[in-house]
Amino acid sequence: MSKKKYVYLFSEASDVGKEILGGKGLGLAEMTRIGMPVPQGFTVTTEACTRYYEDNRQIAPEIETEIFETLTKLEEITGKKFGDPSNPLLVSVRSGARVSMPGMMDTILNLGINDEVAEGLSKLTNNERFAYDSYRRFIQMFSDVVMEVSKTRFERMIDDLKEERGVKADLDLTAEDMKELVKRFKEIYRNEKGEDFPTDPKVQLLEAVKAVFRSWNNDRAIYYRKMNDIPHEWGTAVNVQQMVFGNMGDDCGTGVAFSRNPATGENELYGEILINAQGEDVVAGIRTPLPIAKLKEIMPKMYDQFEAYSEKLEKHYKNMQDMEFTIEHGKLYMLQTRNGKRTGTAALKIAVDMYNEGLVTKEEALLQIEPRQLDTLLHPQFDPKALAAAKPIGSALPASPGAAYGQVVFHADDAVEWVESGKKVILVRLETSPEDIHGMDVAEGILTVRGGMTSHAAVVARGMGRCCVAGCGDIKMFDEEGYFELNGEVIKEGDFISLDGSTGNIYKGKIDTVPAEISGNFETIMEWSDEIRKLDIRTNADSPRDAKQAIEFGAQGIGLCRTEHMFFSGDRIKPMREMILSKTEEQRRKALEKLLPMQRSDFEAIYEEMQGLPVTIRYLDPPLHEFLPTEEEDIVALAKDMNIEVAELKQVIASLHEFNPMMGHRGCRLAVSYPEIAEMQTTAVIEAAIAVKQRHPDWNDFVEIMIPLVGEVRELKFVKDVVVRVADELISKSGLDLNYKVGTMIEIPRATVLADEIAKEADFFSFGTNDLTQMTFGFSRDDAGKFLTDYYDRKIYLSDPFARLDQTGVGKLVELACDLGRKGRPDIKLGVCGEHGGDPASIEFFHKVGLTYVSCSPFRVPIARLAAAQAQIKNPR
Amino acid sequence: MSKKKYVYLFSEASDVGKEILGGKGLGLAEMTRIGMPVPQGFTVTTEACTRYYEDNRQIAPEIETEIFETLTKLEEITGKKFGDPSNPLLVSVRSGARVSMPGMMDTILNLGINDEVAEGLSKLTNNERFAYDSYRRFIQMFSDVVMEVSKTRFERMIDDLKEERGVKADLDLTAEDMKELVKRFKEIYRNEKGEDFPTDPKVQLLEAVKAVFRSWNNDRAIYYRKMNDIPHEWGTAVNVQQMVFGNMGDDCGTGVAFSRNPATGENELYGEILINAQGEDVVAGIRTPLPIAKLKEIMPKMYDQFEAYSEKLEKHYKNMQDMEFTIEHGKLYMLQTRNGKRTGTAALKIAVDMYNEGLVTKEEALLQIEPRQLDTLLHPQFDPKALAAAKPIGSALPASPGAAYGQVVFHADDAVEWVESGKKVILVRLETSPEDIHGMDVAEGILTVRGGMTSHAAVVARGMGRCCVAGCGDIKMFDEEGYFELNGEVIKEGDFISLDGSTGNIYKGKIDTVPAEISGNFETIMEWSDEIRKLDIRTNADSPRDAKQAIEFGAQGIGLCRTEHMFFSGDRIKPMREMILSKTEEQRRKALEKLLPMQRSDFEAIYEEMQGLPVTIRYLDPPLHEFLPTEEEDIVALAKDMNIEVAELKQVIASLHEFNPMMGHRGCRLAVSYPEIAEMQTTAVIEAAIAVKQRHPDWNDFVEIMIPLVGEVRELKFVKDVVVRVADELISKSGLDLNYKVGTMIEIPRATVLADEIAKEADFFSFGTNDLTQMTFGFSRDDAGKFLTDYYDRKIYLSDPFARLDQTGVGKLVELACDLGRKGRPDIKLGVCGEHGGDPASIEFFHKVGLTYVSCSPFRVPIARLAAAQAQIKNPR
């Protein structure tokens, strides 16, 4: 058995993967390989970190040995010796995970110094002040980062000394002062830790490595990983690198720069430099750095060299670079390079520019862009000038992105009425419920007092692409009296407020917005994506307005048109309730008759908006009790309305109560019990299609009927028989040549294992991954919030399975259902219409298992187009 | 492609399966093959029936052709001709499905007759009365069964004619009278159907065959199938058989007999004969038949012959037979044989006797017994003599079998108190809830006003083996006033009533019961089962009482000991609620401290009862809100008790509310949020085990800890780490050599697809098929009742998936989890503890997928022992 290697020199590591070396380590190895001037060093791998945790937070003896063996090799390469006062090797120690993680320990500089080495360094450089400045910096950083002695104590001591000396700047402190600081710092350390500051450089090194490993599991790092879906198992690598010094004089300096402007994408060096300084001085912000362009004036040769390196690295990595460098006595060293973070706008411009410059292929250009970044470009934003003048009066959860202003209303019905009279409104509610849908739909934005990121308001608003700020607990609500208070401001019904759903800020008054638009680079990227991707992108849309938006964003059809939202608005909820309260089939049919023309006209308008693209209509899904009122006064009003006794109505409501409505009488189960509902819906779907087809004889295959919540082929067959009977009769009467498909949602675990049978009766499957996730995990989305935090804290689940498809569990069932489905019907069309349809990582999975399309909310369509192209590039099919 | 055969002569069919021929058809073919005197004929197969439905309720031309070709062969065999007056072939037409189905059409006799044939028959037999009696019988049966002309009209006409003639008995009617009846019957037919009675025998035959096919889907048949889990797809066969006549004189007769006594199992012919009669006369009950023993006196030769045939058939079928026969002019014909239905007692005796007689092997003997039949033998029954004198005052659903008497109490607490003072009680409630468990546990029986077969009362009572009559809507409840009324009877608290949970009857006063006991033949059968079966049989038991009962019934351990039931009784619910209402971990630990000694003593008592057999203890499973009161007055009382504000308590209760409690914060999710609960439970489990181990040093491996509702290996690992830490410390302190296992329930779909990973942390899996069924189907048991009836009516689901494991869906996941589980841990122990563990068909499935054990309620243990043996006999492993 060959021994596992835990430590690599930069010069021997360029073919070791990023998962082993970490991003920083790989960058250093790569730069070394392509001949960049990199101070040499070695990387202790991420596997050593994992091993550290397995070994109960100990560095195993063989790893320790390997570290020091490699250190000896580094000594040979540099010609310097660790701890040797006559020719000392000083090193930096930095963490470096697979992906950059700001939460973790950053850097310790000047490690390897002690009294003797400092003295030697002083002689060697003939610069006593530099030597002791380096020493005191090391004590400070090591104490803070490795031994957790608060750095403010050291800083205060520097301030004290400056006051004693009567000087202002650190640079004004003399060599003697630095020596004094070293002395005082060591005292602090001794007082705090009860032992002397470690003088053995090898002890310093091992402690620093352990500190990096430990920092992988500090709270900030854990939090950052959770936010960014980074697995806790990965671990971090440690990079040990020879020190170079930017603080040895005015022919020295240190800086960071991007190869292009990360805000706009302009092709220009963008960054900062600090003359005669170490890297930490830039971060500390004590001295103001110069823009990188100034370097051209100060050290033109250095600038040209850096620019050349920057270009070389861009070419090498085929991406915009974020670089750190140091100049030591007129020699340029590259300390780090990585792909640079950038804004959405910049990402688009850089990708298009690099392609035009011949630097990257279209595929490479597309892979540069993080699809989620497009989100900010897809919603109206406040006009930056107007925003600069505004001050928020409060803030809460940024529940659904975009910016909006409007007049405050407190009730959904008012929202509809005000909007009809030409006003723009913001709907403000304690919390929202399905009864508010029509109001949310017409509002510019939604503000709620209660509820989190997955509350009803948040989920529905995101689906609609409506801006939403949720859970503003600071609001004191007096909606009955027609106003609310927020941090002392009184906002009355009819007052203007502005909401920023991307930041969560709430403003008094009107802030102008600029609309989202797909043009320029954005358009180019979308065109390239469309050329490449194999997945179709559809949209979830319940209204002509949503459909229109989705078409503008490039949707190729509707993958999910929910019919129940249509039943909530003013004039519709009444016949809907009549239907539910019917005691006989006859009564029910009568009520359904009233709903028919409304549904028909909805469908007709949606077909028209979609211009002949396919529209998948899901039949009634929620349990009927969702349509009934819950508040006493509403019940009384309804009873009066329906001309029945309150007691009787309450009895019906009670009889419809369900212990677990998620798993109750809903979906196709309603059509099994009341086939007349499916009959009415089929009539509406087909009559609307006939009307549209008469106007547009060339539109074909645009009707797709989707039966939800199927768990058994006989169940699907039963409902399908009703659909086909009604549809065929209407079509035959019309004399038109109208096609329609009947398919089903796969959202019940049983359906996934019986998908071969079900496929025999289904023209298509659409995975309802929301419900499938709930049933597969056995927890309801509404309730899981209470305990999922505990699961994240204890690292049991690493990401929210409702946001990102759980590929190991739910994904296995999806894959199984795809395989079985194609076995049952080789030409079956496979799609997904859960919220996962708009998540890039999930889209890659859906691409891999061979779906035909994903369907997502209109505002996710462009993101999905890009993500689908990336999926194809990474996994060609 | 060879043509499918739809019609078989009896003489060519004995190697065709029962699924094609039906039970009756196969019996006739078999009897023909072994040389019994069977009137010859042919069978139209079940596949023809399926085809009939596929072809839109038409008999396909090729099948019609095949029928008449086979009829021609039958004419050759019998030497008679269908429709030929000079030598007519008359036939009977009977339905015959794979299993006997009383709901379907039974028999048409004498088919093939018309005016000419009747006249010919009269001459041929020289018996005009017989000929026209046969004719009128045919018209009557055909009209009734095939054409749905009500038979009461014909019967009334016979009565009218008898009155006209001044005679009493049918036998007193003359040949002329019969001719008159033929005439009048035809008139009825013409009036009813608007056409003449069909005279063409071929038309008669085809119509009769179609009528049999149709009868497969009449309401009675559908209902019967649903009750007996018979698939709707099977279809029925039709048997067409040459008529023989028991009504041609006093040397003729017809009868039915069992080869052994079906009530007691005695080895004696048991049945009845009617001299000079056709089969239908026996059924009609107009004339009183003679016991079969009388035949020995009247026709000793016939009796001996029949006895010999009976023995031969028993030997052939290796089972007790239920036979029909006809004697025509001193010649004995066998018309049908099938395995006879019998009581549980008889089944046991016949099986043991047949083995002792050398007729069957042990395996064959065991296969004769229907495991469910044992149920009646496992519960106390009313003393038959005492019962004979009693009259029920009402009846309702037989929710849990057994008989009991006791004094009426209306509250669970009273039940406990009264029982402690030495009384026997019957708990009468509007409906029960978890808060009544302690009362249900001590009561002899439970009577509820509301709720069905799967109500809380029914499910819990069955689990406890407590007798229960549920849903007695006739009761007017005045429990506040201390009495109830039932059909005019006033029953006061303290009055004796008696309940029969097997019939649903309710009696006033005390009816003595006789206890259940496993002895004699029952014991023998259990011993044989134990020799053969590979599955271990464990029990679900939450109390020492249940454990004791299960041990008496032969349980080999406890597969499910629920810990939550222990928390409901009087002195325990209080600290439980304190625990739930705790605001800090410290408060929670304090409350748990109070629960610890109670749990510990429970476990100790259960270990003792189980005498060293394994006890699987499931950790706290239900959501916490189940332990809190829901009624206003209880909330007020609790608030006072706990010294908190009512409003505050209500707030906590509201915050614990869940939309879908089934999928909420329960199972191991509680231990993830509050590890201290798992700590307390582990302490109780292990401290109790230490105490027991000290008394019984030779008891090993009796502690098994089961973590419920796991969906992810990290989740299991987290809770297991808590368990192991606490357990190992206690054990190490004790200095004892105590083993324990930690396993998990597999009841979440996700766990089934990730079972390989989960197995790495689990010593055992126990399938929780109740929850797994709910999640896999996506419907909750509490809510599904509302729509499952629609599903049965529409033939979408054929049996209750909560009673019988859904092998095609849920079973697939179980099998997958078994395979993956063994992959992850080759020696993993696999069991099941859902209610399916007591269902024979499900047990066969569990045997096949290789489980180690099934666990069921104590009263199901003997049933499971037999079913497991049968599973091994049918599928040796």
Side-chain angles (χ1 to χ4, degrees), chain A residues 619 668-669 671-672 678 682 707 710 714-724 742, chain B residues 791 796:
Chain A
Y619 278 20
C668 69
R669 294 164 195 168
V672 168
T682 305
I707 313 297
V710 163
R714 284 188 294 259
E715 185 181 28
L716 172 59
K717 177 85 163 57
F718 177 84
V719 183
K720 185 182 164 183
D721 285 349
V722 172
V723 169
V724 168
V742 183
Chain B
Y791 275 70
I796 293 170

Side-chain angles (χ1 to χ4, degrees), chain B residues 13 40 54 135 194 228 252 263 353 428 496 564 587 616 629 750 799 827-828:
Chain B
Q40 287 304 290
E54 283 168 12
Y135 194 8
N228 293 274
C252 300
D353 284 355
V428 183
F496 274 96
E564 54 269 17
Q587 282 178 0
T616 309
R750 193 173 191 271
S799 68
D827 67 339
I828 194 162

Side-chain angles (χ1 to χ4, degrees), chain A residues 152-165:
Chain A
T152 53
R153 301 209 41 190
F154 298 99
E155 278 158 10
R156 207 176 312 127
M157 194 153 283
I158 299 176
D159 290 342
D160 289 351
L161 190 69
K162 283 194 281 193
E163 211 178 297
E164 286 171 32
R165 300 291 182 258

Side-chain angles (χ1 to χ4, degrees), chain B residues 70-113:
Chain B
T70 316
L71 182 65
T72 307
K73 287 187 202 157
L74 181 61
E75 289 173 338
E76 282 161 24
I77 291 170
T78 58
K80 294 168 186 272
K81 250 182 114 61
F82 202 53
D84 178 356
S86 65
N87 184 22
L89 173 62
L90 298 190
V91 296
S92 65
V93 175
R94 296 169 205 233
S95 60
R98 270 200 240 187
V99 294
S100 170
M101 269 183 52
M104 269 159 47
M105 190 195 89
D106 199 25
T107 304
I108 298 172
L109 299 178
N110 308 338
L111 187 141
I113 207 164

Side-chain angles (χ1 to χ4, degrees), chain A residues 233 654-666 668-675 709 711-712 714-715 718 748-754 756-757 774-784 786-787 790-791 794-798 806 808-810 812-813 820, chain B residues 233 654-666 668-675 709 711-712 714-715 718 748-754 756-757 774-784 786-787 790-791 794-798 806 808-810 812-813 820:
Chain A
E233 296 92 71
S655 79
L656 285 171
H657 169 262
E658 294 186 308
F659 294 96
N660 297 286
M662 217 359 272
M663 308 176 84
H665 198 181
R666 52 176 285 244
C668 69
R669 294 164 195 168
L670 294 170
V672 168
S673 295
Y674 314 115
L709 217 73
E712 158 65 42
R714 284 188 294 259
E715 185 181 28
F718 177 84
I748 298 274
R750 193 174 190 271
T752 64
V753 297
L754 294 171
D756 43 352
E757 289 182 18
Q774 299 195 80
M775 312 268 187
T776 303
F777 275 90
F779 48 64
S780 117
R781 189 171 180 152
D782 293 321
D783 302 309
K786 284 185 198 156
F787 54 84
D790 295 327
Y791 274 71
R794 295 164 180 10
K795 296 180 213 157
I796 293 170
Y797 291 126
L798 308 178
D806 160 50
T808 51
V810 180
K812 235 185 217 173
L813 291 177
L820 290 175
Chain B
E233 296 92 71
S655 78
L656 285 171
H657 170 261
E658 295 186 308
F659 294 97
N660 297 287
M662 216 1 269
M663 308 175 83
H665 198 182
R666 53 175 285 244
C668 68
R669 295 163 194 168
L670 294 171
V672 168
S673 294
Y674 313 114
L709 217 72
E712 159 63 44
R714 284 188 294 260
E715 184 181 30
F718 177 84
I748 298 274
R750 193 173 191 271
T752 64
V753 297
L754 294 170
D756 44 352
E757 289 183 17
Q774 299 193 80
M775 313 269 187
T776 304
F777 275 90
F779 48 64
S780 113
R781 189 172 181 154
D782 293 321
D783 302 308
K786 284 185 196 155
F787 54 84
D790 296 327
Y791 275 70
R794 292 159 180 19
K795 296 180 215 159
I796 293 170
Y797 291 124
L798 308 179
D806 160 50
T808 51
V810 179
K812 234 185 218 174
L813 291 178
L820 289 175

